[in-house]
Amino acid sequence: MQPRFGIRSKLLLSILAILLISYSTLIYSTMKTMSASLHSEVDRNLETYLTYARSQFADRAKIVKYSLLQPATSRIVHEHMNAGDRGWLEDRLRGIHKVLPYLEFLVLLDADKRVMASLKDDHPGERLEVPGVVEQALVGKRVVISTEILSGALLCRTGVERYCARDGESEALVTTVAVPILAEDGRVLGCIVAGEVLNDRPTLPDELQEVSGRDVEITVTQRDLRIASSLPSTLRDSSTLPPEVIDVLERGEVYRGEAMIGSRSFETVIDPILNSRGEFVGSLSVAVATERFKHNRRQNLENILAAAAVGILCSFGLAFLASRHLTRPLRELASSASRIEEGDLDQRVEGDQDDEVGMLASSFNQMVQALKERDAIINRKTSDLQELNEQLERMVDERTSALAMEMGRLEAVLTSLAEGVVVTDLDNKVVLFNPAAQQLFEMVPHRVVGKPIEQVCELVGFTPLLARIREFTQAGAGGCREELTVKGKRLHIYLSSLTDEKGSFAGIVFSIRDVTVEQQVDKMKTEFISTVSHELKTPLTSIKGSLQLLLTRSKWLTDTERQLLTVCFRNTQRLIRLIGEILDISGIESGGMVFKFKPVSIGELAVYAVEEIKSYAMGRDITIVNTVGEHLPMVYGDSDRLIQVLTNLLSNAVKFSPEGKVVMISAEQEGNYVVVSVADKGRVIQWSDRDKLFKKFQQIECQERGKVGGTGLGLAICKEIVERHHGRIFYTAAQERGNTFSFTVPIIGETDGKK
């Protein structure tokens, strides 16, 4: 078969492609470097001219400031102001105006902002309101320099007569300087207000024009209207600023972009001008012409392209000659290979070149010999492969049968489960709905299997689970437990996501358990315990009172009788305490226990709890150290219940501490909570027992003292009380010996005390 493209053509095209890519890369990198250099130069010019323009814009105001500070601090001026000598003050203002002739108005105000003297004595004694500037100068007792937009009426009142005759022009951009006049005791006597109107300056100062020239425009705008420019009127653009530029400047940000001034392209940067109240009143912009930079870049590009074209032509000629010389032996090798392709494995290639082509011919001959040998080996191995294939098919049949058996077992297990099971696939469509689930929801499989799980949830009342299902679908692996009430049934639902071998989401398993009957039984048990406890508490209270009366008033008792009555009294107290704990936990769970929340002090609660447990601690030679300080903020809670929590924790600490040790109670603030801790030096609670700490009717056996009596309700009651205070209770083990129980109580908020 004759090839469509020969080796020579491919080699020539490859060399040409390499040349084109190389030159293109060189041209691109050169242009990028050139553009970056030009942009850098433009940026430096913009920054230089903008800095210069800012200084020129502010220099006159600074000169006015320092010129007005001298009369503002002069004692003679203060005396004439106190004397109300308007004539002398006006002469002084005219003297200042001779030094600063470019000031459009110069007014002296008293402390009430009334005109005491001005260049034009037209409105003596009239109140003059220059927005923001005068007020800031008088209140802050400092010099205020600002660029303000003043109305034509205000300028007319300050003595700028040309604005009195202008009906159409209602406002102007004015550089305003307000210098407060302060007495020696710091009292404000008045204020000198001076201003220069920028609207009547057709061009910026001559020095800006001399520095910038025709390639740079420096412009001042009043809001969006250009009012002054460094370019001659024939080159200036009188249009307003675009709205998108105004939006940037009103936020107080500097705008950077391109602009067309006349027929020329400029790179511009616009700096916002803000008044004394931080409001946008105008802008100061600098624009640099980019024609010269673009001309240099275009000229350099033309030179580079011309050099690249000459280089490509020369390289192409050399590549053509080289490819013609190199490909001739390869064409002869291709002709011999085509005959071998037709089946002539005895064909050999003659190659005597002492180079890579000769090595290729020798390798080709060795390859043909190897092909002949491998053809014989393949024929021998074919029969072996067929036998292995038959064995593989038998193994597949055996594994398929085993898999079918396992599937049958799994189906039998799912069918016999008392809990409802629902399984979805990768697309969250139901693929399994076991009989328990069918009976639970009274739905046949054909209405559920193959349907999206979202639709099934709406049918069976599982709508609250949709958000959790979407989280599993997006996050992948996970599991959770939810509780729902559907059709009068209380359900515990366990969700677990399935993953494939790559760890990606593959479906969800729902395990549904009806716990309605269990909860009813638990409620009946709780009510029974509460009823029995109430019935027991009344006679025990009577017994306790009788025993106490006998012990206190019966002098005829023998020592043995008194000892026996004391044992009876102590056990009666213990029974009453145990019944009280059972009633407390029942009341908390049923919502019958009333909490009286109010601002309380943790320090006071700690003192009461320590006093209550003090006698018990002294009986066991235990020292209780209270480090709770009075600096802690007030908390919002029920004082009686919080004392109960502290008493229970202290009682446990004393009970499980070796004799002669120290129990410490401390508290500290963490964020919006106060953390109260009770630490002992007893043996550390084992990991296997820590899950029992806050559960009902769970007791931990102490290795040093054996099993200590009690109901196992103390910590459970503490947990319920703390959680009703929107806090949490937790256990921390010491590194060597000791246990710490801590709980949090919220600090009183602004609205808590009003409840």
Side-chain angles (χ1 to χ4, degrees):
M1 181 179 66
Q2 184 66 25
R4 185 174 180 181
F5 289 101
I7 295 178
R8 182 173 64 183
S9 301
K10 293 180 180 179
L11 181 60
L12 186 61
L13 291 175
S14 300
I15 295 174
L16 183 59
I18 293 173
L19 291 174
L20 289 175
I21 293 173
S22 300
Y23 278 104
S24 300
T25 304
L26 179 61
I27 293 172
Y28 176 77
S29 61
T30 303
M31 292 305 300
K32 288 287 289 184
T33 304
M34 190 184 309
S35 297
S37 177
L38 294 178
H39 280 295
S40 177
E41 185 176 354
V42 171
D43 290 341
R44 287 195 301 271
N45 289 343
L46 284 174
E47 184 65 28
T48 300
Y49 286 120
L50 181 61
T51 303
Y52 181 68
R54 286 172 180 163
S55 64
Q56 290 296 319
F57 187 77
D59 278 350
R60 290 196 179 190
K62 293 180 180 179
I63 294 173
V64 173
K65 168 187 172 181
Y66 293 115
S67 299
L68 297 181
L69 280 175
Q70 193 277 331
T73 56
S74 174
R75 183 179 300 176
I76 298 176
V77 174
H78 296 174
E79 293 174 355
H80 284 282
M81 286 185 66
N82 292 328
D85 191 352
R86 181 177 293 108
W88 187 90
L89 295 173
E90 289 178 350
D91 290 340
R92 187 62 182 268
L93 292 181
R94 292 189 188 96
I96 296 173
H97 187 258
K98 289 181 181 180
V99 179
L100 306 171
Y102 51 82
L103 293 179
E104 301 284 347
F105 65 85
L106 188 60
V107 181
L108 177 63
L109 304 178
D110 60 11
D112 295 328
K113 296 186 282 189
R114 297 185 181 277
V115 178
M116 294 187 65
S118 64
L119 295 178
K120 306 290 184 179
D121 188 15
D122 295 335
H123 306 279
E126 182 179 359
R127 188 177 179 87
L128 183 65
E129 291 286 350
V130 180
V133 179
V134 174
E135 187 67 25
Q136 292 182 17
L138 294 177
V139 174
K141 298 181 181 181
R142 60 184 178 83
V143 179
V144 178
I145 301 176
S146 176
T147 303
E148 304 283 344
I149 294 181
L150 304 181
S151 63
L154 180 60
L155 292 173
C156 178
R157 289 166 55 196
T158 57
V160 186
E161 297 178 350
R162 61 179 179 278
Y163 282 91
C164 299
R166 295 187 184 182
D167 298 330
E169 187 172 2
S170 60
E171 59 184 13
L173 190 67
V174 181
T175 300
T176 310
V177 181
V179 181
I181 302 175
L182 305 178
E184 293 182 354
D185 57 358
R187 181 169 48 88
V188 178
L189 300 179
C191 179
I192 304 176
V193 184
E196 179 185 5
V197 180
L198 302 178
N199 295 59
D200 298 316
R201 297 166 62 188
T203 60
L204 292 176
D206 296 338
E207 56 268 21
L208 290 180
Q209 298 182 28
E210 294 176 0
V211 172
S212 60
R214 292 168 56 91
D215 288 339
V216 179
E217 181 195 25
I218 302 175
T219 306
V220 179
T221 68
Q222 177 181 327
R223 292 194 178 94
D224 61 341
L225 181 65
R226 285 184 171 89
I227 60 173
S229 174
S230 64
L231 292 180
S233 58
T234 57
L235 299 178
R236 271 188 285 138
D237 185 4
S238 61
S239 62
T240 60
L241 296 178
E244 59 271 15
V245 177
I246 295 298
D247 291 341
V248 175
L249 298 178
E250 286 180 345
R251 296 195 299 267
E253 302 175 2
V254 178
Y255 175 80
R256 172 69 185 274
E258 295 185 357
M260 294 296 297
I261 302 177
S263 60
R264 304 177 67 191
S265 175
F266 283 76
E267 187 79 16
T268 182
V269 58
I270 306 177
D271 192 19
I273 299 175
L274 306 179
N275 63 12
S276 59
R277 298 178 297 279
E279 299 171 347
F280 171 73
V281 297
S283 66
L284 177 65
S285 64
V286 176
V288 178
T290 59
E291 294 176 352
R292 177 171 58 85
F293 303 107
K294 292 181 178 179
H295 175 73
N296 293 337
R297 182 173 59 185
R298 185 169 55 252
Q299 186 176 7
N300 291 332
L301 178 60
E302 292 174 355
N303 295 334
I304 293 172
L305 291 176
V310 173
I312 290 175
L313 291 176
C314 295
S315 301
F316 180 76
L318 294 175
F320 178 78
L321 296 176
S323 63
R324 184 175 181 182
H325 175 72
L326 293 175
T327 57
R328 180 176 56 81
L330 295 177
R331 289 198 301 270
E332 296 175 356
L333 181 61
S335 176
S336 299
S338 63
R339 291 194 296 271
I340 295 174
E341 182 183 3
E342 295 174 356
D344 186 8
L345 295 179
D346 294 328
Q347 179 69 33
R348 296 294 183 269
V349 177
E350 299 295 336
D352 55 356
Q353 295 90 347
D354 190 13
D355 54 10
E356 288 81 359
V357 177
M359 296 173 62
L360 179 61
S362 176
S363 299
F364 193 83
N365 292 332
Q366 295 176 6
M367 180 189 67
V368 174
Q369 183 64 31
L371 285 175
K372 290 183 66 177
E373 296 175 356
R374 289 179 183 177
D375 185 58
I377 295 173
I378 289 173
N379 291 332
R380 290 195 304 269
K381 295 295 183 179
T382 300
S383 59
D384 297 338
L385 182 60
Q386 291 177 350
E387 183 179 355
L388 291 174
N389 192 21
E390 293 174 356
Q391 294 178 0
L392 181 60
E393 290 178 354
R394 288 195 298 270
M395 292 176 64
V396 169
D397 293 338
E398 293 174 357
R399 294 296 175 87
T400 303
S401 300
L403 181 60
M405 184 179 297
E406 292 294 332
M407 290 294 293
R409 292 175 182 171
L410 178 61
E411 185 175 356
V413 171
L414 293 175
T415 302
S416 61
L417 279 177
E419 296 184 356
V421 178
V422 180
V423 183
T424 67
D425 60 5
L426 177 63
D427 299 323
N428 267 345
K429 292 184 178 180
V430 177
V431 296
L432 178 63
F433 196 72
N434 75 336
Q438 300 172 25
Q439 183 179 3
L440 185 63
F441 299 112
E442 300 176 356
M443 299 184 67
V444 293
H446 75 270
R447 294 191 58 191
V448 177
V449 177
K451 301 294 179 62
I453 190 61
E454 292 82 2
Q455 181 178 348
V456 175
C457 288
E458 293 178 357
L459 290 175
V460 301
F462 280 9
T463 307
L465 298 180
L466 293 178
R468 185 70 69 179
I469 293 172
R470 284 191 287 268
E471 290 179 5
F472 284 178
T473 304
Q474 297 173 359
C480 68
R481 176 181 178 272
E482 300 288 342
E483 294 185 6
L484 292 178
T485 302
V486 179
K487 297 180 181 179
K489 299 177 181 179
R490 189 64 177 175
L491 304 178
H492 284 182
I493 305 167
Y494 300 88
L495 294 85
S496 180
S497 60
L498 300 175
T499 56
D500 55 16
E501 62 276 4
K502 296 181 180 179
S504 302
F505 175 79
I508 302 176
V509 176
F510 297 77
S511 178
I512 308 160
R513 181 183 177 189
D514 187 355
V515 296
T516 306
V517 177
E518 296 178 7
Q519 290 188 346
Q520 291 175 352
V521 172
D522 187 64
K523 182 178 180 182
M524 293 172 61
K525 180 191 69 176
T526 302
E527 292 176 353
F528 173 75
I529 293 175
S530 178
T531 302
V532 172
S533 299
H534 275 290
E535 294 297 329
L536 290 174
K537 188 172 183 179
T538 301
L540 284 173
T541 303
S542 300
I543 294 172
K544 175 185 175 182
S546 301
L547 291 173
Q548 190 173 10
L549 180 62
L550 289 173
L551 288 171
T552 56
R553 295 189 179 182
S554 298
K555 300 180 180 179
W556 46 267
L557 294 174
T558 64
D559 293 340
T560 302
E561 291 172 340
R562 184 174 296 278
Q563 184 177 2
L564 292 175
L565 286 175
T566 303
V567 172
C568 292
F569 179 74
R570 186 166 58 252
N571 282 280
T572 302
Q573 283 184 313
R574 179 170 173 269
L575 285 175
I576 292 174
R577 185 172 63 256
L578 296 179
I579 292 172
E581 290 180 351
I582 295 174
L583 291 175
D584 284 346
I585 196 68
S586 299
I588 293 174
E589 291 180 347
S590 63
M593 180 178 287
V594 179
F595 286 77
K596 298 180 181 179
F597 291 94
K598 62 180 180 179
V600 296
S601 171
I602 286 293
E604 294 180 2
L605 300 183
V607 172
Y608 293 151
V610 171
E611 288 297 326
E612 186 172 339
I613 206 70
K614 185 176 182 180
S615 59
Y616 177 50
M618 292 175 64
R620 297 205 64 243
D621 193 20
I622 300 294
T623 301
I624 300 178
V625 178
N626 182 8
T627 63
V628 179
E630 297 295 334
H631 66 283
L632 294 173
M634 302 286 283
V635 299
Y636 194 65
D638 188 323
S639 59
D640 293 336
R641 297 304 172 189
L642 292 177
I643 290 174
Q644 184 178 356
V645 173
L646 285 171
T647 303
N648 280 339
L649 295 180
L650 287 171
S651 176
N652 287 342
V654 172
K655 183 188 301 183
F656 292 100
S657 292
E659 295 183 358
K661 296 296 182 179
V662 175
V663 173
M664 180 174 291
I665 177 172
S666 60
E668 61 181 3
Q669 181 180 354
E670 290 186 3
N672 295 328
Y673 290 85
V674 171
V675 182
V676 184
S677 302
V678 175
D680 59 44
K681 295 298 182 180
R683 185 179 295 274
V684 175
I685 299 174
Q686 300 298 320
W687 279 101
S688 58
D689 293 331
R690 294 180 186 178
D691 291 338
K692 305 176 184 178
L693 287 175
F694 302 104
K695 294 182 179 179
K696 295 182 293 184
F697 305 108
Q698 297 286 338
Q699 289 182 293
I700 299 173
E701 185 173 344
C702 179
Q703 296 180 1
E704 296 177 349
R705 302 181 58 203
K707 187 173 183 179
V708 181
T711 60
L713 292 175
L715 289 179
I717 293 173
C718 293
K719 179 177 182 292
E720 295 292 340
I721 293 175
V722 171
E723 289 180 351
R724 286 291 297 272
H725 283 76
H726 305 289
R728 67 186 185 94
I729 187 168
F730 53 93
Y731 166 79
T732 306
Q735 294 182 354
E736 296 181 356
R737 184 181 181 91
N739 306 281
T740 301
F741 287 86
S742 305
F743 67 93
T744 62
V745 186
I747 296 172
I748 183 171
E750 294 181 358
T751 60
D752 292 335
K754 301 177 182 178
K755 296 182 179 179

